[in-house]
Structures are given as C-alpha cells and as structure tokens.
Amino acid sequence: MPGLEELLDARIRSVPDWPVPGVTFRDITPLLADPAGIPAVVDGIRAGLDALGIADADMVAGIEARGFVLGAPLAVALGCGFVPVRKQGKLPGAVHSASYDLEYGQATLEVQVDAVAAGHRVVLVDDVLATGGTAAAAAELLRAAGAHVVALAVLLELPALAGRSRLDGLPLVALRAV
C-alpha cells in the first residue's frame, strides 16, 4: 500500500490553464474515486491535528465544494458536527458574508449566523491552500459567528503562492506541499 504522499501524488492531477490561462487547477476527482483516498486523507488530517496538539473539535467546517467532500468524513471520524461554508446565495436565512480575491477574480463566502455556537472549536477544511484568500475569508466568517478556529486542514499547499501568510498564525495541516 503506498504512503499518503505517494497516493496524493498519484491521484491528484494538475490541469494547466484551467479555469483561466495561467492557473493550474488541482483535480482531486481521481483521489476521491480511489477507495483508499478518503480514508487516507482523514487519517492524515487526524494525525496532523494530533501533532499540533488539537485533540478535540466541536465542528468541522468545509469550504464549498471540495471541502464538503473532505470535511464531512473528517467530522464523522472526530465525532463532531459539520457546517458548510457556502458560495454566496446558497444558504437560507441570515448569514455572515465575506468577500475575497481569488487568483483569477473575486468571490463571496457565507455561513449561517447560527451555524456554530459561541466558543465552538472548529477545524476548517479545504482541498488546496493557494493564495489564502478563501481560507482567510472562511475563518473570518466562522469567527464572526463566534467560533474559535483551531486549525486549517488541506490536501495541498502551494507555498509559492504564500497563502500561509494570510492565515494570521492559524495552525495548518497540509498533507502535501507542491
């Protein structure tokens, strides 16, 4: 059985110039299709959280859309709840909103105002940490809802894009840097 890094290297493909020229998209579809993929990712994130001394969480928050796929099974493994961080206009009721810059444009994320309780310890999950705008906006939303964001967990970190610098010291679990 290959190790986690080998599995990620073999099952995450790079798609150049998508969705716009100059951007390389990291496609995790082959990783998700592999029956070993999600369990390996969940185990890897749990090990990373343990290494940071984060033994418990009240919630896992997944960033739309691939953070949902990874965050929900992590929440099950941690024995806690899951909250979606959605793109603008996808949630009913009152929401907190935050806009941010992407490598190729601008976007807005939302979370329902009652999605987390004050003081909840939340692990934030996404697939890739690139420029850090998405993760920083999601953490801001969760804090606005009263949560204490204890860590960001991602499959891949793209260190050349310096996303970590936008996290204001938020602990990071990155399963692979590319």
Side-chain angles (χ1 to χ4, degrees), residues 14-169:
S14 296
V15 181
D17 296 322
W18 199 87
V20 297
V23 171
T24 299
F25 180 77
R26 308 299 171 151
D27 183 9
I28 68 168
T29 305
L31 176 69
L32 300 175
D34 187 325
I38 292 174
V41 166
V42 168
D43 289 348
I45 292 172
R46 286 186 76 179
L49 292 171
D50 288 345
L52 291 172
I54 299 169
D56 64 337
D58 299 301
M59 301 289 277
V60 171
I63 300 172
E64 188 167 343
R66 295 181 291 178
F68 295 176
V69 176
L70 304 172
L74 178 64
V76 170
L78 295 176
C80 65
F82 176 81
V83 61
V85 177
R86 302 288 317 260
K87 294 176 183 169
Q88 186 174 30
K90 303 287 184 177
L91 293 170
V95 296
H96 294 288
S97 298
S99 295
Y100 62 99
D101 292 324
L102 297 163
E103 292 173 82
Y104 48 85
Q106 220 179 20
T108 300
L109 290 176
E110 296 179 335
V111 67
Q112 290 170 310
V113 296
D114 60 353
V116 295
H120 266 173
R121 294 171 47 82
V122 177
V123 174
L124 183 58
V125 177
D126 204 1
D127 60 332
V128 177
L129 175 61
T131 63
T134 305
E140 174 187 326
L141 286 175
L142 293 165
R143 291 179 186 124
H148 174 63
V149 182
V150 297
L152 168 65
V154 297
L155 292 175
L156 301 175
E157 178 184 11
L158 309 178
L161 298 179
R164 188 182 290 243
S165 68
R166 299 201 46 200
L167 300 180
D168 295 326

